[in-house]
Amino acid sequence: MEVRRPCRIMILVNPQSGRGQALQLFTGHIQGMLTEASVPYTLVITEHQNHARELVRKADLSQWDALVILSGDGLLFEVINGLMDREDWQEAIQIPLGILPGGSGNALAASVHHYSQSPPAWNEELLLSCGFMLCKGLVGPLDLVSVHLASKQRLFSFLSLAWGFVADVDIESEKYRHVGAIRFLMGTLVRLASLRVYQGRLAYLPVKEIESDTKTRAPVDSLLPDLEQPVPDTWTVVKEEDFVLVLAIYQSHLAEDLWTVPGAMADDGLIHLFYVTAGISRPALLRLFLAMEKGGHLACGCPHLVYEKVKALRLEPITPQGMITVDGEVVEYGPVQAQIHPGIESCVSIQELHPSEDPAFVSTSGPGPPKTEKAGSARL
Ligand code: ADP
Ligand code: MG
């Protein structure tokens, strides 16, 4: 393990995220922790949407050992895309990123906490756990997914690509952001009342279990044909065209209390593709989301829910209007395709943590199974 001290971190805060209390969360919970751990930091408060993206695009990254965001997933999406906008993106994307949950949608923070084998935590307890992990400064790899839109724009995504029910709930519930993470449950109940079917075509490249992962540093989308070209014969074309939702997710959690992919790891090189076909009843759909809190939705025996592990996918909506989200942010509606790039990003504190062996974690963690140290891990 490489030790570099002192590390200098830039902490980007979105004061509008969540209940609008991200700054108070910093002064109330994180500031003291960083001082105690002698971690030098600079606080940057974003003034508008895409402020962080512009800042990161131009920043002198040699000044920083890590970029940390205190917000929801949306601000991290800005930071990752700001890094990938740079001419030196190959180097830039290797800067460790950290996440402190301060938004209403804190899926990556919940996932990172889960990978550390700590028992589930919410709200301020989750923030404290992520703060501890940040102070420890261990870094592990994180998969990124490149997403192509009809306008030829390419985005980088660390969490999800969603269409239909999940995307609608995410965006429609933003107006309840002030209630925090429970906005998704409220949004789910509202959307259930006006359940819709979305027509479209879905195809994907399945993962063969024997395939070995080739880790690549350069995100060339070798698996994707042009969006106007048909998908290759090696792809699976889904027969159904009537969906309630399509969700591609590459972390364990879709929200603090939605454990969507029980087996997911930050760098498993997989897109976990879920879709729900039309014909599902409202109670059955609600049951799936309620079961997801404990990761039990796949055991519900719901014939409308399909789960596949894939490397790439394409979605072509036929329904003329609707919502597509990437990491919870709205993107242009239309054909979209995506492929995974295993482990090209570095994320602060994930697999390498051994919470059960660390006195700092005794109060918040259970024993958990033993873990093996990964090669290539580094301290900040
Ligand atoms: P939440 O989880 O509450 O949705 P996010 O971090 O996802 O919090 O941020 C919500 C949105 O706010 C994102 O689209 C992000 O790009 C945007 N944003 C970032 N900084 C600001 C700011 N200073 N003012 C307004 N919006 C911002
Ligand atoms: Mg958000």
Side-chain angles (χ1 to χ4, degrees):
M1 272 203 189
E2 181 192 341
V3 181
R4 285 187 278 142
R5 292 268 174 194
C7 80
R8 300 147 301 165
I9 59 176
M10 185 201 289
I11 304 184
L12 292 142
V13 180
N14 171 5
Q16 305 295 332
S17 65
R19 298 175 182 177
Q21 291 173 337
L23 260 181
Q24 288 93 315
L25 291 174
F26 179 79
T27 45
H29 298 282
I30 301 299
Q31 195 168 23
M33 224 184 251
L34 294 173
T35 309
E36 192 90 349
S38 309
V39 177
Y41 64 86
T42 300
L43 201 61
V44 178
I45 298 162
T46 64
E47 285 161 19
H48 52 85
Q49 187 168 38
N50 285 326
H51 186 186
R53 183 172 179 156
E54 288 152 22
L55 212 137
V56 161
R57 189 188 290 149
K58 297 191 198 116
D60 174 5
L61 295 179
S62 67
Q63 298 295 308
W64 306 102
D65 294 309
L67 306 178
V68 173
I69 71 115
L70 172 51
S71 185
D73 298 301
L75 196 64
L76 185 61
F77 178 72
E78 285 192 26
V79 167
I80 286 178
N81 283 283
L83 291 171
M84 294 305 286
D85 285 342
R86 295 168 63 107
E87 270 178 24
D88 67 345
W89 59 265
Q90 263 171 303
E91 233 177 288
I93 199 65
Q94 291 176 45
I95 189 163
L97 299 180
I99 185 133
L100 296 169
S104 49
N106 301 309
L108 186 65
S111 299
V112 165
H113 171 84
H114 171 75
Y115 303 144
S116 77
Q117 301 189 346
S118 307
W122 294 272
N123 304 320
E124 272 140 43
E125 208 189 315
L126 180 64
L127 177 64
L128 289 178
S129 162
C130 291
F132 269 125
M133 288 196 268
L134 176 64
C135 291
K136 291 180 66 125
L138 290 162
V139 172
L142 179 74
D143 294 342
L144 286 187
V145 165
S146 60
V147 178
H148 293 248
L149 306 174
S151 61
K152 307 268 182 223
Q153 203 190 344
R154 180 163 80 149
L155 300 169
F156 287 87
S157 163
F158 60 91
L159 175 63
S160 63
L161 169 67
W163 175 60
F165 191 86
V166 170
D168 289 358
V169 166
D170 197 353
I171 299 311
E172 288 165 6
S173 70
E174 284 194 341
K175 54 178 175 287
Y176 317 127
R177 186 178 269 135
H178 61 278
V179 300
I182 204 162
R183 80 173 217 221
F184 297 108
L185 178 59
M186 290 169 62
T188 297
L189 296 174
V190 170
R191 241 304 131 195
L192 268 177
S194 51
L195 191 59
R196 278 182 63 191
V197 168
Y198 310 80
Q199 278 197 312
R201 283 183 282 268
L202 177 66
Y204 57 84
L205 178 62
V207 171
K208 295 188 207 80
E209 295 300 337
I210 43 168
E211 234 167 71
S212 67
D213 266 330
T214 43
K215 299 228 171 191
T216 166
R217 280 274 153 211
V220 176
D221 295 323
S222 55
L223 300 177
L224 299 178
D226 206 86
L227 197 45
E228 283 101 48
Q229 299 297 315
V231 294
D233 293 343
T234 47
W235 287 44
T236 301
V237 177
V238 175
K239 285 198 196 74
E240 290 91 352
E241 292 194 347
D242 291 335
F243 298 92
V244 165
L245 68 88
V246 173
L247 171 67
I249 172 166
Y250 4 107
Q251 304 296 336
S252 61
H253 284 66
L254 184 61
E256 283 180 46
D257 53 2
L258 291 177
W259 185 11
T260 311
V261 198
M265 295 303 294
D267 64 336
D268 57 15
L270 299 173
I271 295 175
H272 301 269
L273 176 63
F274 293 84
Y275 59 89
V276 172
T277 53
I280 190 170
S281 68
R282 287 182 174 89
L285 187 59
L286 180 60
R287 255 196 311 276
L288 286 181
F289 279 96
L290 293 177
M292 205 180 281
E293 188 182 336
K294 295 199 163 63
H297 46 296
L298 287 166
C300 285
C302 174
H304 296 280
L305 172 65
V306 181
Y307 168 43
E308 300 282 351
K309 293 174 183 162
V310 311
K311 294 267 173 203
L313 70 124
R314 178 185 290 180
L315 170 68
E316 294 165 280
I318 299 169
T319 298
Q321 280 179 351
M323 209 88 83
I324 295 177
T325 58
V326 173
D327 298 352
E329 300 293 303
V330 182
V331 298
E332 75 179 79
Y333 187 73
V336 57
Q337 60 180 8
Q339 98 158 58
I340 192 105
H341 293 286
I344 62 166
E345 175 49 79
S346 304
C347 185
V348 170
S349 304
I350 27 186
Q351 289 92 339
E352 288 78 9
L353 271 182
H354 298 255
S356 58
E357 295 161 21
D358 190 316
F361 281 82
V362 163
S363 59
T364 54
S365 62
K371 298 196 78 188
T372 46
E373 196 93 1
K374 280 210 163 197
S377 61
R379 256 177 214 280
L380 285 175

